[in-house]
Amino acid sequence: MLRYQYLRPSSLDQALEMKAAGGPQARFVAGGTDVHVLRRAGRLEFSALISLRRLPELKGVRAEGDTIRIGAGCTLSELLQEPLVRQELPILCDAVKVMGCTQMRNLATIGGNVMSAVSSGDTIPPLICLDARCVLVSAQGERRLPIDQFFTGPRQTAAREDELLLALELPRPAPNQGGACLKLGRRAALDLAVVNLAVMLERGEDGGIVRARAAAGAVGPTPLRLHRTEAVLTGGRPGPELWQAAARAALEETQPWDDVRASRWYRREMIKVLLPRVIETALERAEAKA
Ligand SMILES: Cc1cc2nc3c(=O)[nH]c(=O)nc-3n(C[C@H](O)[C@H](O)[C@H](O)COP(=O)(O)OP(=O)(O)OC[C@H]3O[C@@H](n4cnc5c(N)ncnc54)[C@H](O)[C@@H]3O)c2cc1C
């Protein structure tokens, strides 16, 4: 027998009303692939779950002028089928297609991945590189927060307790921008990242890098934007020397640890190996579009 209420609102207003009535003991649930694992492990307690699955306001991916808006309730499988995502956001596809397994991707949402706020959350490094903003909504109205300022600690975000993640908004990548993401796990499927790296680069007319975004997962208490790595790449001439300098910067600004998945030493070695690879793929994609 369930020891909590399961509420199924059919509109955003109804969901926010239920949350206001239930307070901190009422929790939103989207795909439930994180919530139910934690509940069964006794690490999460609540008196009510408010399901977001029937809310049309959280669905769909659309272009609005120069912005792409991804509904927080989009499942990972929906994202992979979405032409706009496949054509314009290969960096996000790289991340999503290696997450979990088909059954999990059919349930899990991008909003749930962001709101879980774990350091190894696979969609987060690409969203940081895409300059995504989190659109939060509560009974008080909407506000937007840059995703690189959203994670305040392990499983902690800057969202208020009464706020729901409505969507992620990002500027449409320009044709001379390209991005890529690489996840290293202990096996090819159904594993959390040992290291996760994402890079988004903009090429100038002379082939140099004029703008860079870089982010890493599973090598710090939260997903990290790599500001120093970006500074090294920006204005640099593509080539092995620049990749090595970028990897040195990434090592300075990440804090890998030892755990059951990998040692600190291995994670640092893998940053050195993977960063040049992900940069080269991002550059190829930028070139292909120029
Ligand atoms: C078998 C398995 C494999 C997995 N593999 C991976 C993997 O490869 N990579 C990875 O990153 N993760 C993985 N996960 C973890 C998890 O599935 C993902 O983080 C997933 O994206 C969570 O989405 P969800 O919709 O199921 O979230 P839920 O479990 O529904 O919710 C997660 C958290 O977010 C909150 N929440 C959800 N949606 C909203 C919203 N719109 N607004 C406010 N709060 C919200 C919930 O209250 C809860 O705190 C895996 C989990 C399982 C069980």
Side-chain angles (χ1 to χ4, degrees):
M1 197 181 76
L2 288 183
R3 272 174 274 155
Y4 55 88
Q5 271 187 299
Y6 193 82
L7 306 171
R8 299 207 302 156
S10 51
S11 72
L12 180 61
D13 286 346
Q14 226 183 2
L16 293 175
E17 276 168 30
M18 288 172 176
K19 178 67 183 153
Q25 274 298 307
R27 197 165 191 106
F28 293 124
V29 63
T33 60
D34 195 50
V35 163
H36 290 297
V37 171
L38 292 178
R39 175 182 64 80
R40 283 189 194 174
R43 290 171 56 198
L44 192 63
E45 287 184 5
F46 38 77
S47 59
L49 279 183
I50 303 169
S51 170
L52 303 177
R53 291 184 73 174
R54 297 199 302 176
L55 305 193
E57 295 90 341
L58 267 67
K59 293 307 247 182
V61 180
R62 57 181 190 274
E64 295 173 348
D66 289 339
T67 300
I68 294 177
R69 184 181 166 99
I70 302 176
C74 287
T75 65
L76 303 177
S77 296
E78 284 166 351
L79 289 179
L80 288 176
Q81 284 158 17
E82 178 58 55
L84 193 57
V85 176
R86 291 160 68 109
Q87 283 155 24
E88 300 201 21
L89 308 175
I91 184 174
L92 187 58
C93 290
D94 287 346
V96 172
K97 67 186 181 201
V98 294
M99 288 174 73
C101 56
T102 307
Q103 293 89 333
M104 174 267 183
R105 289 192 293 270
N106 288 344
L107 283 173
T109 63
I110 188 165
N113 195 242
V114 170
M115 293 304 293
S116 296
V118 295
S119 167
S120 60
D122 282 328
T123 65
I124 300 171
L127 288 170
I128 292 175
C129 291
L130 288 162
D131 289 331
R133 292 177 299 269
C134 298
V135 184
L136 298 164
V137 64
S138 70
Q140 274 71 53
E142 258 183 48
R143 64 177 181 132
R144 286 165 173 73
L145 278 180
I147 196 162
D148 64 349
Q149 294 165 28
F150 193 61
F151 304 102
T152 53
R155 290 200 174 271
Q156 284 170 15
T157 72
R160 290 196 315 267
E161 205 279 318
D162 62 337
E163 283 178 318
L164 181 153
L165 181 66
L166 188 58
L168 294 145
E169 282 180 353
L170 35 116
R172 256 178 130 155
N176 59 339
Q177 293 179 332
C181 180
L182 255 182
K183 169 183 181 176
L184 177 74
R186 286 172 308 176
R187 51 179 188 250
L190 274 171
D191 203 4
L192 299 183
V194 164
V195 178
N196 214 329
L197 290 172
V199 169
M200 187 87 192
L201 301 173
E202 182 174 325
R203 290 196 86 145
E205 282 176 10
D206 65 353
I209 297 168
V210 293
R211 183 178 180 276
R213 285 283 179 276
V219 287
T222 63
L224 301 171
R225 179 167 164 195
L226 305 180
H227 291 275
R228 283 189 232 169
T229 310
E230 291 174 5
V232 168
L233 288 170
T234 305
R237 296 296 314 166
E241 280 180 24
L242 186 63
W243 310 160
Q244 280 164 24
R248 280 195 298 276
L251 288 176
E252 282 170 23
E253 58 187 336
T254 50
Q255 305 112 46
W257 60 82
D258 293 309
D259 71 8
V260 287
R261 272 189 281 281
S263 66
R264 176 174 182 276
W265 174 85
Y266 183 71
R267 285 188 157 101
R268 287 175 62 83
E269 290 301 305
M270 288 303 103
I271 289 173
K272 290 190 238 168
V273 172
L274 297 180
L275 193 63
R277 288 189 199 167
V278 76
I279 292 173
E280 282 180 358
T281 307
L283 269 182
E284 279 163 23
R285 287 174 177 171
E287 267 184 341
K289 284 196 274 178

